[in-house]
């Protein structure tokens, strides 16, 4: 069965560079969530989208932005990267707002290393 | 393969009733198990965190149990309220540094008046 696909799997960037992470949800899933997990830390919720509109915002820095596109995939754009942005970024998708519920499916994440 | 399963997939109960959600995992080495509440389209809220040596932990009307031998956990909600309607996600950490979280698919709970 198709899963949540994230790309790239690994990314190395230098300080002050930009990075774009992509998340492709399960087909027909309409909600996407982004999380950041720093070394030795709990996952932190960043932002979520439902039907291409932002539905909730967590601890996402102003240097980051995200959007959900018409095909429901989402991109997390990160600018002016800092060493502290090094983390595992993973997304989840779900099908909400309907009577059917297929649960959450989490991607395996993108490992970002800022040097 | 590290995996977390949850049951039931969805649950509908009447306000004031109790319910129990189940989580089974095959994660090794086990570090801790967490239960999160997540409203539709919103970020998760941590309810409980349990390590290997803890077999029960409460947070208000939420009580989580852990049986590390059978690799099962449950989340019991007492005197349910309409605001309890949400998804409840079981997350198991695979090592002490929290570098490998394995997420369950969640149980969708609907509390009706």
């Amino acid at each position: 069965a198709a899963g949540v696909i994230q790309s790239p799997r690994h990314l190395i960037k230098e300080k002050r560079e930009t990075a774009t992470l992509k998340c492709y949800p399960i087909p027909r899933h309409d909600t996407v969530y982004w999380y950041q997990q720093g070394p030795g830390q709990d996952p932190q919720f960043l932002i979520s989208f439902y039907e291409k509109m932002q539905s909730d915002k967590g601890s996402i820095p102003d240097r980051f932005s995200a959007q959900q596109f018409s095909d429901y995939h989402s991109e997390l754009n990160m600018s002016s990267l800092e060493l502290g942005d090094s983390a595992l970024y993973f997304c989840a998708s779900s099908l909400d707002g309907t009577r059917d519920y297929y649960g959450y499916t989490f991607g395996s994440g993108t490992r970002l290393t800022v040097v | 393969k590290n995996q977390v399963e949850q049951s039931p997939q969805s649950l509908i109960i009447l306000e004031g009733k109790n319910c129990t959600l189940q989580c089974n995992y095959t994660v090794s080495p086990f570090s801790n198990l967490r239960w999160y509440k997540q409203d539709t389209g919103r970020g998760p809220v941590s309810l409980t965190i349990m390590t290997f040596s803890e077999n029960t932990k409460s947070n208000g009307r939420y009580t989580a149990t852990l049986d590390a031998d059978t690799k099962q956990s449950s989340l019991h909600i007492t005197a349910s309220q309409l605001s309890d309607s949400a998804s409840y996600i079981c997350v198991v950490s695979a090592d002490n540094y929290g570098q490998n979280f394995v997420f369950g698919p969640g149980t969708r709970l609907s509390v009706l008046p």
Side-chain angles (χ1 to χ4, degrees):
Chain A
V4 174
I5 298 173
Q6 289 189 245
S7 66
R9 291 292 303 273
H10 303 274
L11 188 60
I12 299 176
K13 290 285 187 178
E14 295 187 353
K15 284 193 303 183
R16 293 180 287 279
E17 284 193 317
T18 61
T20 297
L21 311 184
K22 298 183 180 182
C23 171
Y24 295 87
I26 297 285
R28 296 204 303 130
H29 276 196
D30 52 15
T31 306
V32 171
Y33 308 78
W34 283 98
Y35 301 86
Q36 175 194 58
Q37 185 188 347
Q41 298 178 0
D42 292 351
Q44 298 293 320
F45 169 69
L46 294 178
I47 195 167
S48 61
F49 293 89
Y50 169 65
E51 281 292 342
K52 293 154 279 185
M53 299 288 290
Q54 179 182 310
S55 57
D56 195 15
K57 194 173 182 180
S59 53
I60 183 169
D62 292 339
R63 298 177 290 107
F64 294 5
S65 65
Q67 58 181 324
Q68 186 179 30
F69 294 85
S70 58
D71 63 351
Y72 295 103
H73 93 273
S74 178
E75 295 184 3
L76 178 65
N77 299 295
M78 311 159 71
S79 62
S80 303
L81 287 170
E82 303 173 356
L83 296 179
D85 295 330
S86 295
L88 179 66
Y89 293 84
F90 54 94
C91 72
S93 74
S94 69
L95 180 64
D96 289 313
T98 72
R99 297 185 64 184
D100 295 321
Y101 176 64
Y102 299 96
Y104 293 88
T105 303
F106 288 81
S108 52
T110 293
R111 174 77 63 183
L112 173 66
T113 303
V114 181
V115 297
Chain B
K1 178 183 176 183
N2 287 337
Q3 205 165 3
V4 175
E5 298 177 341
Q6 291 188 242
S7 62
Q9 185 180 61
S10 60
L11 182 63
I12 300 174
I13 62 174
L14 296 178
E15 186 179 12
K17 297 297 184 182
N18 304 335
C19 67
T20 300
L21 314 181
Q22 299 291 340
C23 172
N24 297 331
Y25 61 93
T26 55
V27 176
S28 181
F30 174 84
S31 176
N32 58 66
L33 184 146
R34 305 150 187 256
W35 282 94
Y36 287 93
K37 176 186 177 185
Q38 182 156 349
D39 294 314
T40 299
R42 308 294 295 269
V45 174
S46 179
L47 298 176
T48 62
I49 301 176
M50 288 186 292
T51 59
F52 183 88
S53 59
E54 298 173 295
N55 52 26
T56 186
K57 183 165 280 189
S58 293
N59 177 1
R61 296 181 294 104
Y62 301 101
T63 299
T65 64
L66 173 64
D67 186 334
D69 291 332
T70 61
K71 298 187 177 181
Q72 296 180 328
S73 176
S74 65
L75 179 69
H76 187 72
I77 304 174
T78 58
S80 62
Q81 302 175 358
L82 298 180
S83 59
D84 291 334
S85 295
S87 293
Y88 292 84
I89 303 174
C90 174
V91 183
V92 181
S93 175
D95 63 55
N96 289 327
Y97 300 98
Q99 291 295 319
N100 186 9
F101 284 84
V102 186
F103 291 77
T107 291
R108 167 69 65 82
L109 174 65
S110 299
V111 181
L112 304 182

